[in-house]
Amino acid sequence: MPTVEVLNTCPLHDSFRVQQVAGMFDVPLAEKLSERFTIELPPLGDDWRIGLIVGPSGSGKTTLARRLFGGDLIERVEWPTDRAVVDCFGDRPVREITSLLTAVGFSSPPSWIKPYAVLSGGERFRCDLARGLAKDEVGRMKDESGNDSSFILPTSSFPLVAFDEFTSVVDRTVAKIGSAAVAKAIRGGQIGCRFVAVTCHYDVTEWLAPDWVLDMASKSFQRRSLRRPPIELELFRCRSRAWTLFAKHHYLNGRLNRSARCFLAIWQGAPVAFCATLSVIGRPRRWRISRLVTLPDYQGIGVGMKVAEVVGDLHVVRGERFSITASHPAVISHCRTSPKWRATEVKKTGSRPNPRMSNYPGSFGRAVVSFEYGASGRDRVSPAERDPQARKHRY
């Protein structure tokens, strides 16, 4: 079994006060300024996608990660102050950039055009992830003798990304949702890489669901196969004033039609998503989604489309047809791959507003795709559950 030996040291800045402290508390200076530890790692092969190095501060996580991953370890991401986020990914096509941002759970077009410095902590964290994951080639590491250490990181068709201080600067809800979003994107093939998170927070383990965990507290390595904890959403019919919390995050204007049916999704007592539907003028028993927004801290794990489909169930059991027209890449991608949705129309230049239909402003200038929803038997609700005060949904 291969062994990795790490020597963690820091310089001694000898001074009168340093000597005083050492004398007052009987601190052995040479001993406390260095630590040597050995870790045994089994061959990992090519069959893993996500790894986790976790342990308390000072346990040697970063030192070991530098030794293992070298230039593939991301310790700091620099962002220009005079450019929008979407302008900071080099020469990549804009569709590739927005797809990458969406994959890590940063799905708010209004924030894509802002500078990094004005974003929230959670949004910055996801932007850092996106920049780190935007790699082109696999890094190769060498041991101290210059030999290829492929028993630790074998050659793969996927680039390797190791991210230091993973989730350290965000609150724990954002940390968990962000971890789940990254794991979902990597395992779902949206991001073609192998990812290693380096963190002092054990609470992200089950949300990241890594293939292996290296615990620096016990200096132990183990393979794991965890399932992400279920997320239980409560869906309520709500008044239109709930929209004020979500309006600024919608990629179109913040207006909401007064005749809309409004739904609010709550997780652990906090609002996370909003959905509003409108009847289609001139088409009896036809309804469409007019607004669908998930708050930034909860994006990336499918909350919005889960809410849309539950709302769709409520319309379908009433004998109504239900649809959505979208230009957002995450919505289009989900609907195209889900058996619950059927594409009905593609408009590369959108549609002009109809002056006789005040509740439909049109989508002129935007490429949009329309989908119709048909609930499956497994997800269909019974007539007794139609339009309830509240319903719970786990996924």
Side-chain angles (χ1 to χ4, degrees), residues 119-311:
L119 301 179
S120 69
E123 290 173 325
R124 291 185 186 185
F125 163 64
R126 295 176 193 253
C127 285
D128 289 343
L129 275 177
R131 278 277 296 277
L133 292 167
K135 293 189 61 174
D136 297 317
E137 297 180 355
V138 177
R140 299 291 295 173
M141 70 164 217
K142 303 287 183 178
D143 60 20
E144 289 182 346
S145 62
N147 297 320
D148 189 345
S149 301
S150 56
F151 57 84
I152 299 174
L153 295 176
T155 304
S156 169
S157 58
F158 295 111
L160 172 71
V161 177
F163 198 92
D164 198 16
E165 299 295 341
F166 181 74
T167 75
S168 294
V169 297
V170 294
D171 69 62
R172 303 326 300 159
T173 296
V174 175
K176 294 172 183 177
I177 299 298
S179 297
V182 171
K184 178 175 179 284
I186 292 175
R187 297 194 189 283
Q190 295 166 274
I191 299 176
C193 79
R194 294 188 298 167
F195 180 73
V196 179
V198 183
T199 180
C200 61
H201 297 286
Y202 286 82
D203 60 351
V204 302
T205 305
E206 57 184 351
W207 294 87
L208 194 61
D211 300 304
W212 55 263
V213 177
L214 178 56
D215 189 339
M216 297 299 293
S218 60
K219 303 297 188 292
S220 62
F221 179 98
Q222 66 178 124
R223 288 187 176 273
R224 306 191 66 160
S225 180
L226 301 175
R227 292 193 62 184
R228 172 179 66 78
I231 295 175
E232 187 174 87
L233 297 175
E234 294 182 276
L235 184 66
F236 294 84
R237 280 291 299 272
C238 67
R239 297 184 182 275
S240 59
R241 62 172 174 263
W243 172 244
T244 57
L245 180 62
F246 298 84
K248 71 176 183 179
H249 301 292
H250 196 263
Y251 64 94
L252 298 178
N253 63 65
R255 295 192 299 272
L256 180 69
N257 194 290
R258 293 182 179 179
S259 62
R261 291 179 183 173
C262 301
F263 301 84
L264 180 66
I266 291 177
W267 181 48
Q268 297 182 345
V272 299
F274 179 94
C275 182
T277 64
L278 284 173
S279 61
V280 180
I281 301 298
R283 298 188 179 183
R285 307 193 70 77
R286 292 283 299 269
W287 286 75
R288 64 180 178 85
I289 291 178
S290 66
R291 294 290 184 265
L292 179 63
V293 177
T294 303
L295 292 180
D297 287 352
Y298 304 93
Q299 293 175 358
I301 56 173
V303 168
M305 291 311 299
K306 180 64 177 179
V307 170
E309 290 171 356
V310 174
V311 171

Side-chain angles (χ1 to χ4, degrees), residues 345-362:
E345 190 173 19
V346 177
K347 294 182 178 180
K348 294 184 178 181
T349 58
S351 61
R352 294 182 181 276
N354 188 330
R356 293 177 297 177
M357 299 171 61
S358 60
N359 70 336
Y360 183 67

Side-chain angles (χ1 to χ4, degrees), residues 313-328:
D313 287 338
L314 296 175
H315 284 78
V316 169
V317 297
R318 290 170 174 264
E320 299 162 343
R321 295 176 67 178
F322 187 72
S323 64
I324 185 173
T325 297
S327 59
H328 197 290

